[in-house]
Amino acid sequence: KLYEGFRGKHSTIVALETVDSTNAYAVSNDLPPFAVVTAESQTAGRGRSGRKWHSAEGLNLYFSIVLNDIEPQKLLPMNIFAGYILADTLKDIADVKIKWPNDIIAEGKKLAGILMETSFSGGKLEKAVLGIGLNVNIEDFPEDIAWMATSLKKISGRNFIREEILASFMNNLEEKYDDFITGRINLINLWPFYSAFLDKKISLHKDGVKTEYTERGIDAFGCLLAENAYGRPETIVTGDIGYDFC
Ligand code: BTN
């Protein structure tokens, strides 16, 4: 079985065969901090903005990590931090970059996606769940996403042991986590090394409208700093950068 023998520092690993969504499971079950929920397949894998996450059985990584005690203003930076950890973990396999806020791309296509979900109790942030879908050994994507999706297998031509990738991601995350929380890791300084589009043209899709910008960096809140078509600076809080790359 896939997750047998996976020993991290983390106390709890819930390895499921099939689940609707590892994020949904992690949000609605009582699990300790850093618990990891994994699945071989998801019947209703969730993506950003209500999209579906293609979750082919047994080929990829689908996992969610429980994070407790996060301040609400750390949520967007946490997305970026997770993207940085993933890009850093995969750097020896592929030339991986981040497309704001947290798509992981390689060779101009999407390799992984990150979805943070939260639960509130009495108006207070109770729990944050960091969900990651990483395309590992998949070769054939459904037609509607094949043009913009890739996998480690497609990039490198070889198969990977998924539990090894998960373990190195978790170790990397735990090693750098406290430095991120205390501010010793500065995402603003790291961004130029990881962004796919720094100083490049991007198209931002928001509420059905597409706007063109030049990317200039991120701020301390994880927002995107961009220059609009008139050369004026703007701070972007939400939206999707398109795969049309202007
Ligand atoms: C995106 O739209 O880019 C985010 C995709 C996140 C997918 C992962 S797979 C594991 C976890 N469980 C879910 O239902 N979604 C996330």
Side-chain angles (χ1 to χ4, degrees), residues 20-23 42 44-48 51 53 61-64 103 110 112-115 117 131-133:
D20 52 354
S21 146
T22 57
N23 265 21
Q42 301 183 113
R46 302 171 179 171
R48 289 180 71 222
R51 287 184 289 258
W53 185 254
L61 279 169
Y62 317 108
F63 63 102
S64 301
D103 276 8
K110 183 156 171 168
I114 298 173
L115 178 68
E117 295 193 64
I132 297 181

Side-chain angles (χ1 to χ4, degrees), residues 1 74 84 109 118 170 202:
K1 274 272 321 289
K74 276 256 156 47
Y84 151 64
K109 292 182 170 183
T118 46
M170 285 308 298
I202 52 170

Side-chain angles (χ1 to χ4, degrees), residues 46-112:
R46 302 171 179 171
R48 289 180 71 222
S49 314
R51 287 184 289 258
K52 222 175 133 271
W53 185 254
H54 178 66
S55 305
E57 188 178 346
L59 291 172
N60 303 318
L61 279 169
Y62 317 108
F63 63 102
S64 301
I65 304 158
V66 176
L67 305 171
N68 290 18
D69 298 328
I70 301 243
E71 298 160 39
Q73 70 271 23
K74 276 256 156 47
L75 290 173
L76 183 54
M78 177 63 76
N79 271 277
I80 293 170
F81 173 67
Y84 151 64
I85 296 292
L86 197 51
D88 188 60
T89 303
L90 300 173
K91 67 177 183 302
D92 294 335
I93 301 175
D95 183 18
V96 190
K97 294 274 189 259
I98 304 173
K99 180 167 86 61
W100 184 88
N102 54 16
D103 276 8
I104 299 300
I105 67 172
E107 298 178 346
K109 292 182 170 183
K110 183 156 171 168
L111 177 64

Side-chain angles (χ1 to χ4, degrees), residues 10-23:
H10 5 282
S11 50
T12 306
I13 297 165
V14 182
L16 305 168
E17 201 59 46
T18 302
V19 69
D20 52 354
S21 146
T22 57
N23 265 21

